[in-house]
Amino acid sequence: MKTIIYWFRNDLRLEDNLGFAQACSDADYLLPVVIHDPQTTCLTAWGFERVGHHRQQFLNDAIKDLKSQLQQAGSALCVFHGKPAQIFLELANKLGDIVVYCQQIEAPEEKAQIKEIQDSGILVKDFWQSSMLDPADLPFALDCMPDVFTTFRQRIEAAKLKYAMPIGVPKQIPRLPTGMRDVALADAEPLNTTAVYFEGGESKARQHIEQYFERRLPDTYKQTRNQLMGKDYSSKFSPWLALGCCSARSIAHRLASYEQQHGANDGTYWLWFELLWRDYFEFLPFKYGARLFYAKGLSDKPISPTNPRLFNQWASGQTPDAFINAGMTELSQTGFLSNRMRQIVASYWIYDMGGDWRAGAAWFESQLIDYDVYSNQGNWLYIAGRGTDPRGGRPFNVAKQAREHDPNETYRKKWLE
Ligand SMILES: Cc1cc2nc3c(=O)[nH]c(=O)nc-3n(C[C@H](O)[C@H](O)[C@H](O)COP(=O)(O)OP(=O)(O)OC[C@H]3O[C@@H](n4cnc5c(N)ncnc54)[C@H](O)[C@@H]3O)c2cc1C
């Protein structure tokens, strides 16, 4: 009899979850688990929480939703706090031989978690399932992928790749191991939901994606995507994508069916184009590995020491620049920021305040409900000129950006008055 533990990481969904589907077909007994590792919830080197309250809230919502979906399907979810290796050892002591199935995450801390579990003698099978494209379909080997995004995109377009086909929810979930039913059904902690902008979870992701397409918002996406205010200027898929409450493949599949029904246009193409950026950042670690996480990134540029006083000014929205302050206030009050404002405030921190890009990236990690290791690291490196950008950095002229994107100061008034 085979007992599998399915460890949900950033794939908090049942639909189009390759690892979970495989676990369902391989197991006689299946225990679904989520683990809060204290390493990911401690303080950063800059002294603030790694997971701020908006992000924690969104995660709680997503776990609550997953738990209820598993229960409806006759299974359950165990929520543990501790080091994954330690927890799996304890489960192995209780349940006998176990195999852990989970999502593959190509980032140093997440890889170290897997190594520690394997070193303790437990078998792990991990599954790559977070990108829109299947790495096996790409017209190049991942360790030789083009550095420049435009070349990457052109090679994919020439090969006519759009997305890998999503799979459904498993028809049947194997029963829980004997003795685990009560543990799995107990509520480990009260999970409250008072989200400001969005609520986490696969059900909410489905609703949000569906209303976005039903209201035909893809048609105007290209014109509105650089705006700063409101719910509809961009898709807002990112919070659910970050925790894997939906897969990039299912969004791409929904987009393709939308194009069949209503016709392709600039907006639908641009949405796909942005999802391709996401894949690009997901694939880069296969080429550069831990180097993407070095202080200097891929460059030789020296690191500026962080002045804590300036950092606090930036993070709390008390710089001499009102436009920056509005952005940083929106971020801390809601856990979200438009792509345009992310670029502007990141550039200001690096180039106008002379700060260490890693402190800025860590603040985003703490605050953003859509925090994603690949996209956050990739975009910060890009702006700092420490990644693969051929232009060697993206300093923004903040005054010019404010004139273009907030000509009547509506955004500044909203967040500062
Ligand atoms: C400094 C900085 C840090 C960032 N950190 C994150 C992060 O932690 N998590 C995150 O998901 N995105 C991050 N981004 C990328 C981008 O800002 C967000 O994905 C986007 O704003 C999310 O809003 P949306 O879903 O409405 O995007 P849309 O404009 O509707 O785009 C659709 C989807 O395409 C993808 N996408 C769009 N732009 C980018 C991009 N530049 N890089 C990668 N994927 C992209 C996202 O999955 C997004 O949901 C960061 C950007 C910058 C400049």
Side-chain angles (χ1 to χ4, degrees), residues 9-13 50-51 55 58-59 103-110 128-132 237-248 274-285 292-293 331 335-337 342 357 360-381:
R9 302 175 93 192
N10 295 332
D11 58 331
L12 302 175
R13 64 175 182 276
R50 262 189 98 171
V51 184
R55 187 147 86 86
F58 193 77
L59 176 64
Q103 178 195 13
Q104 178 184 350
I105 305 178
E106 276 301 301
E109 271 183 16
E110 288 80 353
W128 181 260
Q129 54 185 17
S130 48
S131 53
M132 171 174 73
F237 293 156
S238 60
W240 291 283
L241 276 169
L243 287 184
C245 302
C246 58
S247 74
E274 294 300 336
L275 287 166
L276 198 59
W277 264 109
R278 180 177 176 276
D279 268 17
Y280 169 78
F281 287 129
E282 290 219 348
F283 293 151
L284 272 183
L292 291 170
F293 294 82
L331 177 61
F336 194 84
L337 203 55
R342 291 182 204 203
W357 70 278
W363 183 248
F364 270 31
E365 172 177 351
S366 162
Q367 299 299 304
L368 283 174
I369 55 169
D370 68 9
Y371 166 70
D372 168 85
V373 64
Y374 309 112
S375 291
N376 198 49
Q377 198 75 7
N379 277 287
W380 274 93
L381 284 170

Side-chain angles (χ1 to χ4, degrees), residues 19-250:
F20 183 68
Q22 194 60 51
C24 287
S25 77
D26 292 352
D28 296 301
Y29 296 104
L30 179 70
L31 182 66
V33 307
V34 161
I35 301 174
H36 296 289
D37 183 342
Q39 188 185 331
T40 59
T41 51
C42 58
L43 294 185
T44 64
W46 290 274
F48 51 83
E49 288 176 317
R50 262 189 98 171
V51 184
H53 81 275
H54 292 301
R55 187 147 86 86
Q56 188 62 56
Q57 196 100 61
F58 193 77
L59 176 64
N60 289 350
D61 292 344
I63 293 173
K64 191 172 170 184
D65 186 85
L66 181 66
K67 191 167 192 145
S68 118
Q69 300 218 43
L70 283 163
Q71 286 176 357
Q72 278 166 34
S75 184
L77 181 70
C78 272
V79 180
F80 292 108
H81 292 259
K83 305 273 315 154
Q86 188 58 38
I87 283 161
F88 292 129
L89 264 184
E90 283 163 20
L91 285 171
N93 285 337
K94 196 164 177 175
L95 303 173
D97 273 349
I98 56 167
V99 185
V100 173
Y101 283 29
C102 62
Q103 178 195 13
Q104 178 184 350
I105 305 178
E106 276 301 301
E109 271 183 16
E110 288 80 353
K111 287 174 77 165
Q113 284 178 323
I114 300 287
K115 185 162 180 311
E116 222 182 300
I117 303 166
Q118 287 168 331
D119 288 349
S120 72
I122 291 172
L123 202 62
V124 181
K125 275 195 187 181
D126 57 358
F127 297 79
W128 181 260
Q129 54 185 17
S130 48
S131 53
M132 171 174 73
L133 301 171
D134 185 338
D137 296 338
L138 295 174
F140 40 76
L142 275 182
D143 54 359
C144 306
M145 72 178 264
D147 273 348
V148 177
F149 173 74
T150 307
T151 318
F152 169 86
R153 174 180 59 78
Q154 286 165 343
R155 300 271 310 268
I156 283 159
E157 288 179 343
K160 300 202 183 319
L161 288 183
K162 279 285 192 177
Y163 60 94
M165 205 56 166
I167 59 169
V169 177
K171 293 217 162 44
Q172 203 160 13
I173 303 180
R175 62 204 148 144
L176 294 165
T178 322
M180 291 309 292
R181 198 162 181 86
D182 291 344
V183 184
L185 286 173
D187 270 322
E189 66 216 86
L191 296 171
N192 47 352
T193 57
T194 52
V196 179
Y197 271 9
F198 311 108
E199 219 178 292
E202 185 170 11
S203 333
K204 295 286 184 243
R206 269 196 211 115
Q207 283 168 19
H208 176 79
I209 295 165
E210 215 27 60
Q211 64 82 31
Y212 185 78
F213 285 102
E214 268 171 17
R215 291 165 63 218
R216 300 204 52 181
L217 291 171
D219 295 353
T220 46
Y221 173 73
K222 186 164 184 239
Q223 287 90 59
T224 57
R225 58 179 285 275
N226 274 320
Q227 293 175 8
L228 313 182
M229 288 168 69
K231 278 201 166 174
D232 296 336
Y233 62 82
S234 66
S235 74
K236 309 294 180 350
F237 293 156
S238 60
W240 291 283
L241 276 169
L243 287 184
C245 302
C246 58
S247 74
R249 286 183 291 255
S250 14

